[in-house]
Amino acid sequence: MSITAGRTRGVLFAALLGLSACQVGGPVTGSAPTSAAPGIFGGPVNAETPPVNVGTLTDQPGFGELIPGSNVRAGFDIDLQRWLGNHAPHRFLPVHVDLTIDDRIRALQEDRVKLVVATFSITDERSKKIGFAGPYMITQQGVMVRAGDDRIQNMDDLTGKTVCTLSGSTSLSQLKEGTLKDQINVIEKKGYKECADQLLDRQVDAISTEAISLEGFAHRDPTRLSVVKNIRFGAQGRFGIGLRHGDVATCEVMTAKLKEFITSGSWDIFFDQHFPGLQSELYKPDPNNLNPCE
Amino acid sequence: MMVDDLARPRIRRREASSPISDPLVSDPLIIDSLITDPLITVSMIAAIRSPSHRHRLLASPWVDYRQYDRPARSSSDARHQHLTGLATTRRNSDSPSCDRTNVTSHRAPGKVRAHEVSEISFKGHQKQEEMSDQKQEQHSESNFLTQFPRGQLKWFFSILAITAAFTVWLLTKDAKGSEIASILSLATTIVSTALTFLMFLYQNTSKGNRKGIPPGNPRRTSRLLVPLAAIVLGAGVPIYYWTEIHKPNSRVTDQMSVFNGKAMHDGGQATITIPGRPPQHDHLAIVLTLTNHADVGDCVRPAKLDITPIIDSTPVIDGRPEQLTSVRPGQEVRLDLSDVTRQAAVLVTLDTPDPSCRVELRVSQAVLYN
């Protein structure tokens, strides 16, 4: 081998080293990866309005209710799903998948649904498992009693009472760990209707969950149910759209659409339609301060 | 000066998705890799460059090996061959004929005995050869020095430039450079080890073909020092500059003390002290995180942290007190500490939409840098 050939090989080797260094230099930024999963609205869609499974509730008046015997769904969450289907960058047809409160996270993790729009409170704990876009509604925990029952007027009156709430909800956590910890008897049920039935049957003294959800029940049956106006406690319930964990692309699309939903006036129309008589300002989020997608 | 210019804070924010990428440098790791990598790299270049079919896989490119392929002409080679032959003869010296052969070959006049003649003759010959050898060594050294500027100086400066450029490039890449150096070191170590092993195998199998190669040739050793010197200079000077003059980035995450940060609420303030009186660097890059220990509450993602640097006990940014900037948790912020004369700290104010939130403020990453 000649010296020139050997030298050329050395130079080539050095060049290869440099190239490999440049190649290695790209991804090693130490920063966390962004969206790994493709967004459901990001790619090209063949069908004009492809179906998208959306998790929803069936027993929550005002938000998501399947009216018995008619197969008709109604509520703020149902209207929001349809609005998103019509206004997303790629239109989609929401296919309602009935979920219970306790099943919402699992449905997303098992990919049974792409979205969950079901009075789903955003929490830091849940954000470790799934993603959220929002919030689209802000409320606080409240208490509902039988109409005419004036035994419970404030927080102190709850001491020693039996309170029904939903298993797997943030309301349960707040009753067990908040200011009412060890002061009340907590009954867990899987659905709102079961709690309402127990309340009307006088098996429990009150129902406690997000105040806006209780308002839906009270609005549906005002002669038998009543929300205690003076009781609001615990952390804010900030309803968001549940997404798969790490789906930043869909989160960004949903967040942008929620901002449009709130600023366009659609939010007020749907709110007034399902919660007439309530002050919308108390529940309306700041469209310019929605949660960032991570 | 425009009003906007006055209002522009000396705090810089970075996106939350890229927590401190530049100043978070593990300089010791880079330097550790830099010390080993150029050596391995250049030795590989040298190994590949040298003609492998002449049993010189890992030999230095500064040695002219063609001299060993020629018949032994120098006094050193002649002496080597002579001594080799003598040793062979002496191993057979039990036979009397061997002595006679020596006497015959070194016959001397007079009363001197034949074997004494042989010894004297041999000593004289040896002395002559030693003198000749010294001359040859001197000649060889002068050749080395005279040839150095022409042939080897080029290689010296080439390697010096490559090593220095590669070292500086890696140093400027900070954390990325560290990772590159680490990744390259694995590959180069494996390949160079394999080449070394192959060279030894090849040398062992081709001993019969390299009678002319003297083991432990001093010129070969001395010429190996040339690339080594280039490497040491090329890597050493940038590293010296980086560590002693520029000063490497200092990771001080564990030295940042947070006061009143355990259970912050909306509007709550916490103070973070910066190590050093004054800090030994001009800038601080810091990433703050919030932790919600409760099962409920959307506290972390919507929260904002208002950052106010406190320079020598005075909240100051660009000479204007009480100015601050807002960052999200997990977002990097950089502070200018060049004006600190005594001590610096950071005042953090929590801004969260839910007043019921209670979160813990932590310093996720903190790096002092220049």
Side-chain angles (χ1 to χ4, degrees):
Chain A
M1 184 184 297
S2 68
I3 298 295
T4 309
R7 189 174 300 165
T8 307
R9 192 184 296 183
V11 171
L12 280 174
F13 178 73
L16 276 174
L17 271 181
L19 277 176
S20 64
C22 294
Q23 201 170 10
V24 169
V28 283
T29 58
S31 62
T34 55
S35 172
I40 58 174
F41 309 109
V45 181
N46 295 328
E48 195 169 332
T49 53
V52 171
N53 288 348
V54 182
T56 189
L57 300 177
T58 58
D59 63 344
Q60 195 167 0
F63 279 99
E65 189 180 21
L66 180 59
I67 298 171
S70 65
N71 200 28
V72 172
R73 294 176 188 269
F76 188 93
D77 285 346
I78 303 296
D79 287 336
L80 174 57
Q81 292 172 27
R82 290 171 181 153
W83 187 93
L84 289 172
N86 287 325
H87 291 82
H90 297 280
R91 294 180 61 192
F92 67 93
L93 179 67
V95 175
H96 304 295
V97 177
D98 297 341
L99 299 176
T100 62
I101 291 286
D102 203 15
D103 200 29
R104 293 173 296 185
I105 293 176
R106 197 162 47 247
L108 280 168
Q109 289 176 328
E110 294 172 356
D111 209 21
R112 282 187 278 137
V113 295
K114 297 292 183 189
L115 306 172
V116 170
V117 187
T119 61
F120 207 175
S121 291
I122 306 170
T123 69
D124 297 317
E125 188 66 25
R126 286 173 175 167
S127 295
K128 297 172 186 172
K129 304 172 187 171
I130 58 171
F132 281 104
Y136 64 86
M137 186 82 75
I138 294 177
T139 182
Q140 235 183 332
Q141 190 144 344
V143 171
M144 183 169 70
V145 296
R146 289 180 293 275
D149 184 357
D150 55 0
R151 293 177 302 156
I152 300 173
Q153 301 285 333
N154 52 49
M155 289 290 286
D156 294 337
D157 295 336
L158 284 170
T159 305
K161 300 291 189 297
T162 302
V163 179
C164 184
T165 192
L166 302 179
S167 56
S169 68
T170 53
S171 305
L172 176 63
S173 299
Q174 302 208 92
L175 289 176
K176 285 188 169 179
E177 297 173 8
T179 54
L180 294 171
K181 182 181 179 182
D182 299 331
Q183 295 183 26
I184 58 173
N185 301 316
V186 179
I187 302 293
E188 297 179 40
K189 294 295 177 186
K190 282 190 177 297
Y192 285 107
K193 191 172 182 306
E194 294 175 60
C195 271
D197 291 342
Q198 292 232 330
L199 179 65
L200 293 174
D201 291 344
R202 296 180 179 273
Q203 294 178 23
V204 298
D205 297 308
I207 299 173
S208 180
T209 186
E210 283 89 358
I212 188 70
S213 301
L214 297 174
E215 294 287 358
F217 277 96
H219 176 69
R220 168 60 54 85
D221 197 353
T223 58
R224 296 197 295 170
L225 299 172
S226 173
V227 177
V228 182
K229 299 297 180 188
N230 295 331
I231 298 181
R232 294 287 185 275
F233 64 97
Q236 284 184 350
R238 296 158 61 87
F239 294 167
I241 299 173
L243 310 163
R244 284 177 298 165
H245 191 260
D247 191 354
V248 178
T250 303
C251 176
E252 286 173 348
V253 170
M254 289 287 102
T255 302
K257 286 295 139 187
L258 283 178
K259 183 176 180 180
E260 183 185 335
F261 175 67
I262 296 167
T263 54
S264 66
S266 299
W267 189 96
D268 297 277
I269 293 171
F270 294 145
F271 187 88
D272 291 340
Q273 182 181 342
H274 296 290
F275 305 101
L278 294 182
Q279 290 183 329
S280 61
E281 292 75 20
L282 298 176
Y283 305 95
K284 189 176 181 179
D286 178 2
N288 297 314
N289 204 17
L290 302 181
N291 287 4
C293 295
E294 294 173 353
Chain B
M1 186 179 288
M2 304 278 294
V3 176
D4 288 342
D5 293 331
L6 287 172
R8 187 181 304 144
R10 275 152 76 183
I11 300 176
R12 286 192 290 155
R13 284 174 293 178
R14 295 174 67 87
E15 293 303 316
S17 58
S18 59
I20 301 179
S21 54
D22 291 333
L24 287 187
V25 184
S26 49
D27 279 306
L29 183 59
I30 294 180
I31 292 168
D32 182 49
S33 303
L34 285 174
I35 289 169
T36 54
D37 281 356
L39 288 168
I40 297 169
T41 304
V42 176
S43 71
M44 286 180 65
I45 295 171
I48 288 179
R49 189 194 160 277
S50 63
S52 59
H53 70 283
R54 295 185 185 184
H55 52 265
R56 297 157 196 162
L57 265 175
L58 285 186
S60 166
W62 284 264
V63 179
D64 184 6
Y65 290 96
R66 284 171 293 188
Q67 62 182 308
Y68 301 122
D69 291 340
R70 294 191 296 270
R73 286 179 295 185
S74 70
S75 63
S76 174
D77 294 342
R79 175 190 168 207
H80 173 72
Q81 288 182 352
H82 175 81
L83 291 176
T84 307
L86 190 61
T88 309
T89 307
R90 282 180 177 174
R91 278 197 295 272
N92 300 324
S93 61
D94 293 342
S95 166
S97 63
C98 290
D99 289 334
R100 279 196 297 273
T101 307
N102 285 337
V103 169
T104 309
S105 61
H106 301 285
R107 186 179 300 275
K111 298 177 181 178
V112 183
R113 285 182 171 179
H115 69 275
E116 289 173 349
V117 171
S118 172
E119 201 165 301
I120 291 166
S121 173
F122 171 70
K123 283 179 179 174
H125 181 67
Q126 195 176 21
K127 196 167 185 178
Q128 279 183 347
E129 282 193 347
E130 281 174 359
M131 291 174 65
S132 174
D133 206 20
Q134 284 175 358
K135 286 180 182 176
Q136 184 65 26
E137 286 294 332
Q138 288 173 357
H139 179 67
S140 156
E141 288 296 324
S142 66
N143 280 346
F144 170 72
L145 291 173
T146 52
Q147 286 174 5
F148 181 82
R150 282 190 296 137
Q152 294 156 11
L153 209 58
K154 180 177 65 180
W155 276 103
F156 177 83
F157 282 111
S158 299
I159 288 187
L160 184 69
I162 291 171
T163 309
F166 192 55
T167 304
V168 169
W169 183 75
L170 285 177
L171 285 170
T172 55
K173 289 291 172 187
D174 294 336
K176 191 188 290 183
S178 165
E179 293 187 40
I180 292 169
S182 300
I183 292 167
L184 286 179
S185 67
L186 176 66
T188 49
T189 303
I190 290 171
V191 174
S192 62
T193 306
L195 283 176
T196 308
F197 182 69
L198 286 173
M199 182 205 72
F200 281 118
L201 279 181
Y202 191 80
Q203 277 189 335
N204 288 336
T205 55
S206 61
K207 271 185 178 176
N209 297 327
R210 53 188 185 95
K211 291 176 182 174
I213 294 181
N217 189 306
R219 281 173 294 170
R220 180 174 173 174
T221 306
S222 67
R223 287 176 180 181
L224 277 172
L225 292 177
V226 175
L228 282 176
I231 292 164
V232 168
L233 274 176
V237 171
I239 289 173
Y240 174 79
Y241 170 79
W242 201 262
T243 54
E244 298 300 323
I245 300 171
H246 175 77
K247 287 185 179 174
N249 300 345
S250 176
R251 194 181 289 267
V252 292
T253 307
D254 296 336
Q255 301 170 46
M256 305 287 282
S257 301
V258 182
F259 298 95
N260 300 325
K262 284 289 181 187
M264 294 185 74
H265 54 80
D266 183 37
Q269 291 187 323
T271 307
I272 303 170
T273 56
I274 300 169
R277 286 175 178 263
Q280 296 300 305
H281 295 73
D282 291 338
H283 297 87
L284 171 71
I286 189 170
V287 174
L288 302 174
T289 56
L290 295 175
T291 304
N292 176 14
H293 293 295
D295 290 337
V296 296
D298 180 22
C299 303
V300 174
R301 277 207 301 165
K304 291 177 184 171
L305 299 169
D306 297 331
I307 307 292
T308 307
I310 300 175
I311 307 299
D312 298 330
S313 304
T314 307
V316 170
I317 301 175
D318 269 359
R320 301 179 62 182
E322 301 300 338
Q323 286 193 358
L324 45 83
T325 189
S326 290
V327 293
R328 296 276 187 190
Q331 195 173 6
E332 179 192 327
V333 62
R334 298 183 177 192
L335 308 176
D336 187 354
L337 306 176
S338 56
D339 296 334
V340 180
T341 57
R342 298 193 306 274
Q343 192 180 14
V346 180
L347 181 67
V348 182
T349 307
L350 178 66
D351 177 11
T352 179
D354 187 351
S356 67
C357 282
R358 295 292 181 272
V359 291
E360 181 180 358
L361 177 70
R362 288 176 178 168
V363 178
S364 172
Q365 297 180 80
V367 171
L368 288 167
Y369 68 101
N370 287 327

